[in-house]
Amino acid sequence: MSYSSPVAAGFMFGRVLSRFRERLGLAALAFALLFVGAQSVLAHEFKAGDLEIEHPWSRATPAGAKVAGGYFTVVNKGGTPDRLLSISSDISEKAELHEMGVKDGVMTMRPVSGGLEIPAGGKVALAPGGYHLMFIGLKRQPKQGEKFAATLTFEKAGTVNVEFAVEGMGEMGGMDHD
Ligand SMILES: [Cu+2]
């Protein structure tokens, strides 16, 4: 079979696409879009200078919750260390970098002062149970499936606009902070 014109090719493509959609459903279509779109649906990353910020994500929060966590991995491909200095987002009054640890047998969180170093050629993961961002004073509840914008400021790489993908509440979704 050959396509004699772009119009015919487009028509055939449309036919194939609609049949494909019928047979495999929307989930498969979303997966197919991974290979078409510039930015993927499931994984996403942001670049600034030598830094790559991989898959920023947050959790949906129960109604009335005042805080939400923020997580991602920063990869430093450069030859000098950098430092995450500050975070801001329209979703909350303020955002802090926190560290989780055990003090006197009790899990505690405390703000990290002086920023978080991203070693040269290394990476740092912000994840539940360790370093994380805290969006404090939520202006609304982040909903599962949406993305919200935030700005990260690094000492050398400067300011990076990222989007946090909101995932389900999960086991630790209701954790409290002071
Ligand atoms: Cu915290």
Side-chain angles (χ1 to χ4, degrees):
M1 189 195 307
S2 69
Y3 302 123
S4 55
S5 73
V7 174
F11 178 71
M12 285 308 296
F13 181 71
R15 287 279 300 270
V16 169
L17 192 63
S18 76
R19 209 179 306 155
F20 177 71
R21 190 184 297 165
E22 279 166 24
R23 280 176 56 183
L24 298 179
L26 277 176
L29 184 67
F31 187 72
L33 288 174
L34 286 175
F35 301 101
V36 179
Q39 202 173 7
S40 77
V41 183
L42 300 177
H44 59 299
E45 66 173 43
F46 303 85
K47 290 188 167 87
D50 291 327
L51 300 184
E52 281 180 15
I53 294 116
E54 295 175 350
H55 191 54
W57 65 283
S58 183
R59 283 201 186 95
T61 52
K66 289 289 177 219
V67 297
Y71 316 98
F72 53 79
T73 298
V74 194
V75 179
N76 184 355
K77 299 201 161 169
T80 53
D82 206 336
R83 189 169 285 274
L84 175 60
L85 297 178
S86 65
I87 310 100
S88 67
S89 172
D90 286 342
I91 205 161
S92 61
E93 300 293 335
K94 60 175 180 170
E96 294 180 349
L97 176 66
H98 280 192
E99 184 178 17
M100 195 182 245
V102 179
K103 188 186 177 188
D104 301 328
V106 179
M107 283 289 255
T108 60
M109 310 224 176
R110 61 169 187 269
V112 176
S113 58
L116 178 64
E117 182 171 294
I118 320 297
K123 64 174 162 181
V124 175
L126 280 70
Y131 289 115
H132 57 277
L133 302 188
M134 215 72 250
F135 297 99
I136 298 170
L138 289 176
K139 296 174 184 172
R140 62 180 181 82
Q141 307 303 318
K143 290 191 181 65
Q144 184 171 1
E146 73 160 345
K147 286 182 180 171
F148 64 84
T151 302
L152 310 177
T153 302
F154 294 89
E155 194 170 68
K156 297 201 177 77
T159 293
V160 195
N161 295 319
V162 301
E163 285 186 315
F164 282 80
V166 181
E167 300 184 0
M169 281 187 206
E171 293 293 307
M172 297 163 70
M175 182 168 298
D176 260 340
H177 286 74
D178 291 334

